[in-house]
Amino acid sequence: MVNEDLKQEEGDGIHADPSDLGDPSTSVQPSTSGHPSISTHPSVSAHPSVAIHPSVSVHPSVSAYPSALARPSVLSHPSSSGPEDLSVIKVSKRRWAVVLVFSCYSMCNAFQWIQYGSINNIFMNFYGVSAFAIDWLSMCYMLTYIPLLLPVAWLLEKFGLRTIALTGSALNCLGAWVKLGSLQPHLFPVTVLGQVICSVAQVFILGMPSRLASVWFGANEVSTACSLAVFGNQLGIAIGFLVPPVLVPNIKDQDKLAYHISIMFYIIGGVATLLLILVIIVFKEKPKYPPSRAQSLSYALASTDASYLDSILRLFKNLNFVLLVITYGLNVGAFYALSTLLNRMVIFHYPGQEVNAGRIGLTIVLAGMLGAMISGIWLDKSKTYKETTLVVYIMTLVGMVVYTFTLNLGHLWIVFITAGMLGFFMTGYLPLGFEFAVELTYPESEGMSSGLLNVSAQIFGIIFTISQGQIIDNYGTMPGNIFLCVFLLLGVALTAFIRADLRRQKANKETPENKPQEEEESNASKVPAIVSEERF
């Protein structure tokens, strides 16, 4: 039976009068409607057995009679799957600290991904291994992600954001300290072990930006927040291009070289430890109240016994999402290959320019970070996901073509300009893909949709890195880059076929929604933001 008494929320000081609940213009349920004239979009479903229809309640135990419209029912009670009160839409002040800490430890992990590739030739000489062996220190990040995605995505659904954040930052810290045991030329396997541990940590990081944004940020902030979360990863790659060539010079003396490498390893180990402590202190599972109507509805539709396999199958039956998975993989896989092989390409045309090779990589990523922030803000303002994604993809192709035909001109300043233009669009595409995926697949798990995008990127990244590396070794840099251009052209064509079925936007616009209040994290009494729902 549905309890018709709304319990008093601690600190709120408000009771729901049953006589007031009968008013059809006001509802304490932000996401459930029994009104026969209103229907949530038919493509939105959280479970095969729970479909939203004008005549069917979203909860099997609640009748959808008009008299039940104002009843508090399931959404007004706390549950383990959502915040305390789903009738209140508020954003928490803590959200900025959470996304900042996440960005920082994501940055630390991304630095460790590229720190070997940015000085590929130096580590080759120190450990006495081939260029391909050093390339695998980057590709192990990609390879590890593929089999571990589903277990980690399941853990994210089962245990939540805080557990995943703690695990990811702890593994990142452990991997950083293991590398300190590899400061002798014969200890290459130890540095591989440390890198593999960091690559496992990455699995707990890459799929979180869109989930973090949805859980903590309001409807008009999610794309910007997702861009901020991705921002940290990109900043880490940028620092990974810039710092290693400065800290580790190209010298012949093995002892001095080991000393310089140890400085880099000690710095990153200390930073990783500090960030682990901050995650323990700052990171919370979720805010007290849902930050948007879509998130409130997502909590209401959550089913604790929903089949995990069913969720995956539903995603793969979504043709628009499948196309996005392929196009995202082509774009980001090309970026992974370009980043891994950049040092080799620059040194091929400009011998002895290790530091400038790192600076070119820095330029690519910094320009991409700017592109990511601009695209995130633009999406929050315009909601033009399909159009923005297609334009950015086309410009990525143009940038790659220009970079390909200017790399060998003999002028580094031209390479800086063309690489920056390429990076602005290529890495600026990352948050676009995450947010577009969430729109196309709502209310499915953000962690699962993001994870599948990343699996595609890792698979194409490995294929492109190995293939382009072999082409560069045998035929030169231009054929290798043309190889990437061909696949980016394919990505543009497939992106044009994606239909903009923006399900999350439809959920947010189903009824008028007041601007979310900012949660006051104090003991002072608060008045809940009960949203008018005349049409719901």
Side-chain angles (χ1 to χ4, degrees):
M1 292 296 293
V2 178
N3 183 6
E4 298 185 1
D5 295 322
L6 188 64
K7 293 185 178 179
Q8 181 180 10
E9 190 72 25
E10 182 177 352
D12 288 340
I14 281 196
H15 294 270
D17 191 330
S19 64
D20 294 331
L21 297 178
D23 189 349
S25 65
T26 306
S27 171
V28 295
Q29 299 183 48
S31 59
T32 307
S33 174
H35 199 285
S37 63
I38 300 299
S39 171
T40 304
H41 194 275
S43 63
V44 181
S45 173
H47 191 276
S49 64
V50 185
I52 302 180
H53 189 276
S55 62
V56 181
S57 168
V58 297
H59 194 282
S61 64
V62 182
S63 299
Y65 291 113
S67 62
L69 171 64
R71 294 189 179 190
S73 72
V74 279
L75 298 190
S76 62
H77 292 283
S79 71
S80 59
S81 62
E84 291 183 24
D85 190 349
L86 300 182
S87 68
V88 180
I89 304 297
K90 282 188 178 182
V91 288
S92 169
K93 291 180 178 179
R94 183 184 284 263
R95 69 194 187 280
W96 298 111
V98 170
V99 77
L100 177 62
V101 170
F102 170 79
S103 292
C104 287
Y105 80 79
S106 177
M107 172 190 71
C108 182
N109 183 261
F111 174 91
Q112 298 192 77
W113 167 59
I114 205 63
Q115 67 179 353
Y116 295 99
S118 62
I119 47 176
N120 184 294
N121 57 320
I122 295 176
F123 277 108
M124 281 172 55
N125 295 331
F126 180 73
Y127 287 116
V129 296
S130 66
F132 188 64
I134 300 299
D135 288 345
W136 268 110
L137 291 175
S138 170
M139 288 190 289
C140 74
Y141 263 59
M142 309 175 202
L143 186 63
T144 304
Y145 191 90
I146 298 169
L148 293 182
L149 163 69
L150 294 181
V152 172
W154 179 83
L155 290 173
L156 177 60
E157 293 302 307
K158 183 73 174 178
F159 298 103
L161 285 172
R162 176 173 167 81
T163 300
I164 296 300
L166 287 171
T167 305
S169 56
L171 287 171
N172 185 65
C173 179
L174 175 62
W177 287 108
V178 167
K179 292 176 186 178
L180 277 164
S182 66
L183 296 174
Q184 296 295 326
H186 65 283
L187 295 176
F188 182 69
V190 178
T191 211
V192 171
L193 174 62
Q195 190 73 342
V196 169
I197 293 173
C198 291
S199 72
V200 175
Q202 177 219 210
V203 187
F204 290 83
I205 295 172
L206 281 188
M208 285 183 65
S210 55
R211 175 66 173 266
L212 190 71
S214 295
V215 169
W216 282 91
F217 287 82
N220 294 323
E221 301 173 324
V222 286
S223 296
T224 303
C226 185
S227 297
L228 284 172
V230 174
F231 180 91
N233 191 270
Q234 299 306 298
L235 181 60
I237 297 172
I239 297 173
F241 277 119
L242 177 66
V243 172
V246 175
L247 292 181
V248 185
N250 190 2
I251 56 180
K252 299 297 183 182
D253 190 313
Q254 293 287 75
D255 292 335
K256 289 184 178 179
L257 189 56
Y259 170 74
H260 288 290
I261 293 174
S262 71
I263 292 176
M264 180 173 69
F265 285 169
Y266 271 114
I267 290 174
I268 197 66
V271 171
T273 303
L274 174 62
L275 291 171
L276 173 59
I277 295 171
L278 286 176
V279 169
I280 294 172
I281 296 172
V282 172
F283 224 93
K284 284 183 65 177
E285 173 58 34
K286 52 184 171 281
K288 184 176 181 181
Y289 304 107
S292 67
R293 182 172 302 282
Q295 189 62 24
S296 178
L297 179 60
S298 179
Y299 287 135
L301 294 174
S303 175
T304 56
D305 60 350
S307 170
Y308 197 61
L309 180 60
D310 285 347
S311 176
I312 299 172
L313 292 176
R314 285 195 299 273
L315 288 175
F316 279 108
K317 289 178 181 178
N318 185 334
L319 178 60
N320 294 312
F321 176 68
V322 171
L323 288 173
L324 182 62
V325 166
I326 297 171
T327 57
Y328 184 90
L330 292 171
N331 189 302
V332 181
F335 168 68
Y336 287 163
L338 186 70
S339 300
T340 301
L341 302 172
L342 182 65
N343 174 269
R344 289 167 62 181
M345 287 190 283
V346 173
I347 298 301
F348 184 87
H349 293 289
Y350 307 92
Q353 295 290 336
E354 289 88 1
V355 173
N356 275 322
R359 289 172 179 167
I360 291 171
L362 174 69
T363 302
I364 290 174
V365 179
L366 288 180
M369 290 162 60
L370 177 62
M373 290 304 301
I374 291 175
S375 62
I377 294 171
W378 170 254
L379 284 183
D380 279 332
K381 298 293 184 183
S382 68
K383 310 301 183 186
T384 54
Y385 290 85
K386 162 69 180 291
E387 295 82 356
T388 304
T389 301
L390 183 59
V391 168
V392 170
Y393 217 124
I394 292 172
M395 293 308 298
T396 297
L397 173 61
V398 172
M400 189 68 203
V401 171
V402 173
Y403 169 80
T404 298
F405 289 97
T406 56
L407 181 61
N408 60 353
L409 294 182
H411 301 289
L412 268 174
W413 65 271
I414 295 179
V415 180
F416 273 95
I417 293 174
T418 57
M421 184 181 76
L422 171 62
F424 181 86
F425 295 104
M426 179 175 272
T427 60
Y429 173 83
L430 270 66
L432 287 178
F434 281 145
E435 283 300 288
F436 198 12
V438 174
E439 291 292 336
L440 294 175
T441 61
Y442 178 87
E444 303 292 350
S445 165
E446 299 92 343
M448 179 55 67
S449 62
S450 298
L452 291 174
L453 291 183
N454 284 319
V455 164
S456 177
Q458 314 305 325
I459 292 173
F460 282 112
I462 292 173
I463 295 171
F464 289 167
T465 301
I466 294 175
S467 302
Q468 189 184 14
Q470 293 298 312
I471 294 172
I472 290 173
D473 290 341
N474 295 308
Y475 303 103
T477 59
M478 184 174 291
N481 286 325
I482 291 175
F483 168 79
L484 293 184
C485 291
V486 171
F487 284 97
L488 288 176
L489 178 60
L490 175 62
V492 170
L494 293 177
T495 300
F497 286 102
I498 300 176
R499 185 170 62 89
D501 181 17
L502 307 182
R503 300 179 179 184
R504 183 173 63 179
Q505 293 305 314
K506 291 172 184 175
N508 277 324
K509 292 178 180 179
E510 188 68 28
T511 60
E513 178 175 343
N514 295 341
K515 183 178 179 181
Q517 300 182 20
E518 188 160 274
E519 178 184 326
E520 296 292 338
E521 300 205 6
S522 66
N523 293 325
S525 63
K526 301 182 284 290
V527 178
I530 299 180
V531 181
S532 174
E533 301 200 350
E534 295 179 4
R535 294 174 49 235
F536 210 62

